[in-house]
Each structure stands twice: as structure tokens, then as C-alpha cells.
Amino acid sequence: MTGQTTDRVLTSYRIGDPDGAFPIYSAEGARLFPGRWNTAASPIIYSSEFYSTAMLEKLVHASAVMPPNQYSVRITIPNGLSYEVFQAANHPGWDGKAEEICKAYGLAWYDEQRSALLLVPSIPARIERNILINPRHPDARAISFALPEPVWWDDRLYAA
């Protein structure tokens, strides 16, 4: 679905290292290390609809070895921003190990600047969504984020 605008203020979350090579709210990491929805030519900002989903996504990508010094930022998406929803049912195999379907979709969305936001399903939390931000889209300038806050990881997340 394209051409929609948010009808309320949305919040999303992102986790990273504020002292790392890239700011937490940045697409530079996605440019250097593309994810499921982007290529090096389409750097986007990955965020999650919920704090717990952001934690789960970080755990999945950390391969059970959590990087030190992890902080979260709360991202505020104002009312009236353009968004698109990825319709998973229309793209069989989108969630497979091969990421070509998602990369092609994300690249087209990014290049065409169809919206500031792309809402996609979270693979580890299927009924929740990740919110992808196209920093090149003019609407993306209206997005703000709070100061980073420490993430407290419960040791039980790593229990064998």
C-alpha cells in the first residue's frame, strides 16, 4: 500500500553503541553492512515498532554475543508522514534465507522515494513490525529522536 500518511504520532526504537563508529540514528551501518531490506546503494535506518522488538532483533543479529555498550533511542515520527506497508502475502518467500525479494523491494522503495517509512514484518516477531526510514525522503527531516538510554539485558536471555 502506497500513498498513505500517518494519522497520529508514531514511536519506534533503535539499539546501537553511541560511542561506536556510527551514530545510533544513522544509515551508515546499513550502507557498509546491508540488511534484509537494503543494498549498499540504498542505505536506510532500521527501527522497530516496539522496544522489545528492537531488543529481539538485536539479539538475533548478535549471534548470542551481545556487543558491549548498547543504548536505545526512541524515535518520534510525527503525524502526517508518508508511509508504505509491505504486503507479505503478495511476496511468497520474502522471509527465506535468500533476501533478494526484500532487497529488490527495498531498493525500489528507496530509489523511487515512494514514502519516508516502509513498514515491514519482523522475522523473529512476525506479528510485530519494523519501521524502515528512508533518510533521503524529504519527509524524513521531520523525524526526531531522544537522547540514547542504556539497554539492560536480562541474563536469562542468554541461559542455555
Side-chain angles (χ1 to χ4, degrees), residues 76-92:
T76 302
I77 301 164
N79 184 21
L81 244 64
S82 59
Y83 73 94
E84 179 174 330
V85 178
F86 175 78
Q87 300 295 327
N90 296 339
H91 303 276

Side-chain angles (χ1 to χ4, degrees), residues 58-77:
K58 186 57 109 170
L59 286 169
V60 166
H61 294 289
S63 301
V65 179
M66 188 51 57
N69 201 37
Q70 296 296 286
Y71 281 66
S72 69
V73 291
R74 185 182 69 246
I75 300 166
T76 302
I77 301 164

Side-chain angles (χ1 to χ4, degrees), residues 5 30 49 61-62 142:
T5 57
E49 190 173 27
H61 294 289

Side-chain angles (χ1 to χ4, degrees):
M1 297 168 30
T2 60
Q4 300 180 78
T5 57
T6 56
D7 62 356
R8 64 190 177 281
V9 174
L10 301 175
T11 301
S12 67
Y13 298 87
R14 184 167 164 83
I15 296 174
D17 180 352
D19 299 327
F22 319 112
I24 297 174
Y25 188 82
S26 167
E28 185 61 12
R31 184 182 71 76
L32 295 172
F33 308 101
R36 175 172 290 274
W37 295 97
N38 78 294
T39 67
S42 58
I44 59 176
I45 298 170
Y46 285 81
S47 70
S48 295
E49 190 173 27
F50 301 107
Y51 178 78
S52 57
T53 309
M55 290 180 79
L56 186 57
E57 291 281 353
K58 186 57 109 170
L59 286 169
V60 166
H61 294 289
S63 301
V65 179
M66 188 51 57
N69 201 37
Q70 296 296 286
Y71 281 66
S72 69
V73 291
R74 185 182 69 246
I75 300 166
T76 302
I77 301 164
N79 184 21
L81 244 64
S82 59
Y83 73 94
E84 179 174 330
V85 178
F86 175 78
Q87 300 295 327
N90 296 339
H91 303 276
W94 73 272
D95 54 351
K97 295 252 186 249
E99 299 175 343
E100 290 84 12
I101 293 169
C102 299
K103 285 189 183 298
Y105 192 96
L107 180 61
W109 166 77
Y110 177 87
D111 282 343
E112 296 166 17
Q113 294 190 41
R114 296 192 305 241
S115 63
L117 310 172
L118 177 59
L119 282 60
V120 301
S122 165
I123 290 184
R126 294 299 170 101
I127 64 170
E128 296 177 8
R129 297 184 293 195
N130 288 321
I131 299 176
L132 312 182
I133 301 168
N134 183 344
R136 284 185 36 209
H137 194 282
D139 287 354
R141 289 187 286 259
I143 298 171
S144 62
F145 57 94
L147 292 173
E149 296 192 23
V151 174
W152 302 105
W153 300 100
D154 187 316
D155 290 340
R156 293 173 293 178
L157 291 169
Y158 303 101

